[in-house]
Amino acid sequence: MKKILRYLGILVCLSLHAAAWGDMADNGVECSVVMEKTRFDAREAFPDFKLVFTNKGEKTVRLFDDFYPVKEDGPNIIIRVYRKEGEKKKKIAVYYANYKIQRGLATPMNFIILKPGEKHDVPIKDVHLLLVYLPTHMQHAANGKDYMLEVRFYDGYGDPGFWREYVGKQDFSMVDQSPYRGQYPGERR
């Protein structure tokens, strides 16, 4: 009986501390991804997108503006592209920020204040230059397949003492947009 109560106590303590671990919805901010195009040809450059943060809560929320801490480098986010294969998904491309910023007096810290119902857009440009396709996939992206874009942003300064993870997802597909539909360009009918 003592063991059962001990484990029950541990579970209660863990559930009470879940917010400190960064529950995505504990502050009411929802992250979503809006792509320029959700249907494009595999031969095209990967389209740009924007992250949209919406405060769906009842309180004003502070979000750490750490999306482009170093203007010359890429954004401070994680991007993953998955190919959907039935119920499974296979990672085909990734982007990880390859730098860390040491926060201190010399580094300015900017915040975005989101009142209830407000939105904030963060454009992510030149995504085709950021993505690295994994070497295990010979055919990286193929027409006629369905994919999912997943973007993660970690905020450790917006609310002191809490780390939050914001995740946005967007489904997209690759379609053949060739005007010849499989025929040779010089072929006459």
Side-chain angles (χ1 to χ4, degrees):
M1 186 66 171
K2 286 184 180 183
K3 284 186 178 182
I4 293 173
L5 288 176
R6 184 180 311 149
Y7 289 120
L8 186 60
I10 290 171
L11 286 174
V12 168
C13 288
L14 289 175
S15 66
L16 291 175
H17 288 85
W21 291 339
D23 261 345
M24 286 190 298
D26 65 345
N27 66 349
V29 174
E30 177 185 273
C31 175
S32 58
V33 175
V34 178
M35 295 178 72
E36 287 181 353
K37 298 188 284 185
T38 56
R39 292 174 55 87
F40 55 95
D41 198 314
R43 296 169 288 191
E44 293 180 41
F46 198 90
D48 296 338
F49 62 87
K50 63 182 175 180
L51 291 174
V52 179
F53 293 91
T54 308
N55 186 357
K56 294 196 172 185
E58 299 174 1
K59 296 180 182 178
T60 300
V61 176
R62 188 171 78 159
L63 185 66
F64 184 44
D65 188 2
D66 192 37
F67 301 104
Y68 286 97
V70 181
K71 298 295 182 199
E72 298 81 33
D73 290 336
N76 192 14
I77 58 176
I78 296 172
I79 303 172
R80 295 183 181 122
V81 177
Y82 296 98
R83 180 181 312 151
K84 291 181 173 183
E85 297 175 350
E87 293 295 318
K88 293 189 227 174
K89 57 184 183 178
K90 190 179 282 187
K91 190 184 325 179
I92 65 165
V94 295
Y95 164 76
Y96 297 103
N98 58 0
Y99 56 86
K100 289 288 183 193
I101 303 294
Q102 184 171 348
R103 302 288 171 200
L105 297 175
T107 309
M109 295 180 71
N110 301 319
F111 295 94
I112 300 160
I113 305 298
L114 289 176
K115 294 178 181 164
E118 279 189 342
K119 291 183 179 182
H120 178 72
D121 296 349
V122 179
I124 309 296
K125 300 289 184 190
D126 297 326
V127 178
H128 64 282
L129 299 174
L130 299 173
L131 288 175
V132 175
Y133 288 89
L134 301 176
T136 56
H137 298 283
M138 294 304 285
Q139 186 179 7
H140 301 302
N143 288 328
K145 304 280 185 181
D146 292 325
Y147 297 86
M148 181 182 74
L149 173 67
E150 178 184 275
V151 182
R152 294 176 181 268
F153 172 68
Y154 295 96
D155 182 0
Y157 296 97
D159 197 5
F162 293 94
W163 274 93
R164 289 202 169 78
E165 176 184 36
Y166 299 99
V167 180
K169 297 179 182 180
Q170 174 70 52
D171 292 335
F172 66 94
S173 58
M174 302 228 181
V175 293
D176 186 10
Q177 296 180 350
S178 171
Y180 298 105
R181 301 282 183 228
Q183 298 173 355
Y184 295 106
E187 189 177 281
R188 293 187 183 193
R189 291 183 180 203

